[in-house]
Amino acid sequence: MPLVSVVMPVYNSAATLGAAVRSVLTQTHSDLELLVTDDKSSDDSMDLLMEFARQDERVKPVSAPEQGGAGRARNLAIERARGDYVAFLDSDDMWLPEKTERQIAFAAAGSAPLTFTSYFKMDADYEGESTDFTPNGRVVRAREHVDYRAMLVRDYIGALTAMYDRTVLGTRLMPEMRKRQDYALWLSIMREGADARGLPEPLAVYRAHQAGSLSSNKLSLVRYNWELYREHEGLSVPRSTRALAGAAWQSLRNSRI
């Protein structure tokens, strides 16, 4: 069975961390390693991680040498990856039990080095586990096929569902950016000609605000998207403007789910 390296950045996530970790450990595809980087949390996050590590050798937590944000924390985990695939999950989200198994089969069948899936949204105060999550009508649908040109207009890939084939693409780190590092990584992979394939089945659960709310955090990403288009991708002002409009529309549409 292929080994999956699961990358999880953690910062003051004690309230939701347990459910996120357990959603990985209860995957039907059990050949995985959970690579966690704690970004100098001030709560009990690291203590919880060490307890998980004592109970399950697949959990491999480290503490970042200094606080550097989610992107750097992810890279510290990616650098330790031994897996055939690298997948991503934040410490407040969850995977449904068959996510890894189904996505590996999907990636192999389509010879796709970068894949993603549909996902559910849940309220921020959800206290359950992935194993007892009841499917709801709040689904962000994965597009069947996305190429670089389409991704410039809109980020179609939910980071909690993304997985890339390390045997094909090698170890790929996220660019050193304050925000939108995940989007920049997908673009860097696809810029080289590797399209992404979307699995329509919802296989992960994203912790979000109530349907209809567009959080200030989402609005703050406008500036970082602009920097991504202009500085990382080198787009012209007109193309960056069109891409920014697409990103804004996507945030507005997804906020209504």
Side-chain angles (χ1 to χ4, degrees):
M1 292 194 301
L3 176 67
V4 179
S5 296
V6 185
V7 170
M8 180 182 290
V10 169
Y11 178 70
N12 288 348
S13 305
T16 60
L17 179 59
V21 170
R22 285 187 290 271
S23 79
V24 174
L25 300 182
T26 55
Q27 290 291 296
T28 55
H29 178 94
S30 60
D31 196 6
L32 52 84
E33 58 180 0
L34 178 54
L35 306 174
V36 190
T37 305
D38 180 74
D39 197 31
K40 295 298 182 184
S41 295
S42 58
D43 64 0
D44 296 330
S45 292
M46 195 60 184
D47 292 336
L48 286 171
L49 290 169
M50 294 306 296
E51 181 58 30
F52 275 115
R54 282 189 287 269
Q55 297 175 11
D56 193 319
E57 64 181 5
R58 296 176 297 172
V59 182
K60 301 176 180 180
V62 299
S63 181
E66 59 184 9
Q67 194 173 86
R72 185 167 299 175
R74 289 190 183 103
N75 281 344
L76 289 171
I78 295 171
E79 288 171 347
R80 297 187 285 134
R82 300 181 299 111
D84 303 285
Y85 293 94
V86 175
F88 301 87
L89 180 66
D90 285 349
S91 56
D92 54 351
D93 300 327
M94 303 186 304
W95 284 351
L96 296 181
E98 295 184 348
K99 192 261 188 188
T100 310
E101 179 182 357
R102 291 187 179 277
Q103 193 166 2
I104 289 174
F106 175 74
S111 300
L114 177 61
T115 60
F116 59 106
T117 80
S118 300
Y119 61 92
F120 292 105
K121 293 176 72 172
M122 62 182 173
D123 292 339
D125 58 357
Y126 179 80
E127 296 180 351
E129 299 285 327
S130 62
T131 50
D132 56 32
F133 177 77
T134 301
N136 56 35
R138 302 176 66 186
V139 180
V140 177
R141 302 288 179 185
R143 188 168 176 171
E144 181 179 350
H145 168 260
V146 184
D147 59 15
Y148 177 71
R149 188 181 185 90
M151 277 290 284
L152 281 178
V153 177
R154 187 179 302 173
D155 180 7
Y156 288 95
I157 300 177
L160 74 163
T161 76
M163 185 178 75
Y164 73 77
D165 189 335
R166 201 169 69 93
T167 66
V168 175
L169 299 173
T171 299
R172 303 296 293 259
L173 301 178
M174 293 191 172
E176 290 288 335
M177 303 167 59
R178 182 171 174 78
K179 299 278 189 179
R180 306 303 277 138
Q181 311 96 342
D182 53 344
Y183 187 15
L185 175 58
W186 321 144
L187 285 170
S188 69
I189 291 173
M190 298 171 73
R191 193 189 316 117
E192 298 171 6
D195 295 349
R197 301 285 176 176
L199 179 59
E201 185 178 2
L203 293 171
V205 189
Y206 173 76
R207 193 177 299 272
H209 292 266
Q210 296 288 344
S213 68
L214 186 59
S215 67
S216 59
N217 182 55
K218 291 291 186 183
L219 292 173
S220 72
L221 293 179
V222 170
R223 176 165 65 97
Y224 296 107
N225 273 30
W226 181 259
E227 292 176 0
L228 169 63
Y229 300 138
R230 293 286 289 144
E231 298 175 16
H232 189 266
E233 296 304 311
L235 300 185
S236 65
V237 170
R239 290 192 69 189
S240 297
T241 301
R242 288 195 296 272
L244 191 63
W249 171 246
Q250 179 193 34
S251 292
L252 178 61
R253 187 181 66 172
N254 286 352
S255 71
R256 294 174 175 171
I257 297 175

